[in-house]
Amino acid sequence: MNQNQRFLSLDVFRGLTVACMILVNTPGSWTYVYAPLRHAKWDGCTPTDLVFPFFLFAVGNAMSFAMKKFSTMSNAQVLGKIFKRTALIFVIGLLLNLFPFVKYDSDGNMVMKGLDTLRILGVLQRIALCYGIGALLIHYLKPKGAFIATCVLLLGYWAVLWFFGGSDPYSLEGHIGLQVDKAILGEKHMYHGEGIAFDPEGLLSTLPAVGNVVSGYLVGRFVQQNRQSRNMLLRLVLAGSVMVAAALLWNEVFPINKKIWTSSYVLYTVGIATLLLSIFIWLIELKGLRAGTYFFEVFGKNPLFIYVMSGVIVKLYFLFRIGAEKENLYSWIYTHVFQPVFGDYPGSLLFGLFHVLILWLLGWWMDRRKIYIRV
């Protein structure tokens, strides 16, 4: 294999992650969702809770290829590239939060959305910040220094939560990150899905999430340096197993929790991502099993664009209302097509799978025409 050739297994891992992000974000009804496709209510980790950290891990994998070019660039060029990409992804996230720029008021009239209640943070914004911070750590501290910095971030985050949190520092209202976001962002610009102003992609909890990106970079770099080596695979499996075991031990004092992105959660999700990637490398690279991989490659070739389009489609659904009861199109499709034919839970699942297929067809069309949107 050519030294500059990408590992197909890394592309499949990224594509699978994007497909899963679409699936868990678009159930037909949030009432009828199978347990594995739900987030943990607070502490704990379901399969759905693995999806976002896996995407950050995949971002790090991609960086292990892209950042090779930095060695031939000036410091100003490197900073310009990092800051430009960070800002662009962040702004796209803001625009997605604002889209479709209109809403219905209490009287059912369509009015323009204001900026006074615009949520500032979100999934894309976290990806942007984690990429930016992670890229700076890797570029200036080099891989070993970035690894040490990640350890400091994880331990430091634990200390900050413990010493500055409330009487229950790992709870919704005791989490110090809540106060940080209120002070910097303001309650009107935060997520309110937990019943109070609380942002699961908050500023403070973004710091440990950088660990998912840096870890993805380190694993991607290690894989490239030890191409198709069975010893490489064994070391990956060992590293992933040790991280999962350590996370489960850490969980006893610092619970695995996605919504406040605890350090044990970072270790746990990185460990499982490493183990899953090891399986892909064994099957695809070493065993040569390529059947079916193209389905996930399609998602992996335009990951951010496809994710954004999945959000755009859902928001457009809610913009259109049907019938005398003014039911939004999203709900109408589920209650008039999927639910009557397939039932409550299966219909809700198939609604999500239907949208995975729609987005796959978009990605397939783009791939056929060699359209790849890089941010």
Side-chain angles (χ1 to χ4, degrees), residues 27 43 61 80-81 124 135 180 186 193 203 239 261 271 306 355:
D43 292 338
N61 286 165
K81 193 173 184 68
L124 288 173
V180 171
L203 293 170
W261 214 281
I306 290 177
H355 287 85

Side-chain angles (χ1 to χ4, degrees), residues 128-352:
L129 294 175
C130 287
Y131 161 78
I133 298 171
L136 291 173
L137 289 178
I138 294 164
H139 178 65
Y140 285 107
L141 302 182
K142 307 307 176 189
K144 183 177 179 180
F147 171 77
I148 295 172
T150 297
C151 294
V152 171
L153 281 176
L154 296 182
L155 292 171
Y157 182 64
W158 184 23
V160 168
L161 262 58
W162 175 256
F163 288 110
F164 296 97
S167 56
D168 187 359
Y170 312 136
S171 66
L172 175 63
E173 297 187 343
H175 177 237
I176 186 60
L178 176 65
Q179 305 308 320
V180 171
D181 290 337
K182 283 183 177 181
I184 296 176
L185 305 174
E187 291 190 25
K188 290 185 177 181
H189 298 288
M190 294 168 61
Y191 181 70
H192 287 76
E194 301 292 335
I196 64 171
F198 170 82
D199 216 307
E201 282 82 45
L203 293 170
L204 188 62
S205 61
T206 294
L207 295 178
V210 172
N212 293 88
V213 171
V214 173
S215 298
Y217 171 87
L218 294 174
V219 170
R221 183 172 180 270
F222 175 76
V223 168
Q224 291 176 68
Q225 292 177 339
N226 299 271
R227 310 180 76 84
Q228 294 194 337
S229 164
R230 290 187 180 276
N231 182 53
M232 173 268 287
L233 197 58
L234 290 173
R235 290 168 69 182
L236 279 183
V237 170
L238 178 61
S241 301
V242 168
M243 284 187 282
V244 170
L248 292 175
L249 288 174
W250 204 352
N251 176 62
E252 296 300 312
V253 291
F254 193 19
I256 293 172
N257 185 304
K258 175 188 181 294
K259 293 180 179 178
I260 58 174
W261 214 281
T262 55
S263 305
S264 56
Y265 173 68
V266 174
L267 205 60
Y268 185 70
T269 54
V270 168
I272 294 179
T274 303
L275 290 173
L276 181 58
L277 183 58
S278 300
I279 294 173
F280 285 173
I281 291 174
W282 178 65
L283 291 174
I284 298 171
E285 315 296 346
L286 300 184
K287 293 295 183 180
L289 299 178
R290 306 293 174 96
T293 58
Y294 180 68
F295 181 85
F296 299 110
E297 281 184 79
V298 165
F299 287 109
K301 290 180 178 180
N302 280 293
L304 281 174
F305 178 78
I306 290 177
Y307 174 76
V308 169
M309 288 307 299
S310 71
V312 167
I313 290 173
V314 168
K315 286 172 176 285
L316 287 176
Y317 276 150
F318 282 96
L319 183 63
F320 295 101
R321 297 187 174 184
I322 299 175
E325 296 182 0
K326 301 295 183 182
E327 185 177 11
N328 67 70
L329 183 58
Y330 187 100
S331 176
W332 188 92
I333 293 175
Y334 170 67
T335 57
H336 287 78
V337 179
F338 287 91
Q339 190 179 35
V341 176
F342 303 105
D344 297 337
Y345 285 92
S348 183
L349 173 61
L350 287 171
F351 182 94

Side-chain angles (χ1 to χ4, degrees), residues 108-130:
N109 299 313
M110 191 176 290
V111 297
M112 292 295 296
K113 284 186 177 180
L115 298 179
D116 56 324
T117 57
L118 172 65
R119 184 186 174 198
I120 294 176
L121 298 176
V123 170
L124 288 173
Q125 292 90 319
R126 169 156 288 183
I127 292 172
L129 294 175
C130 287

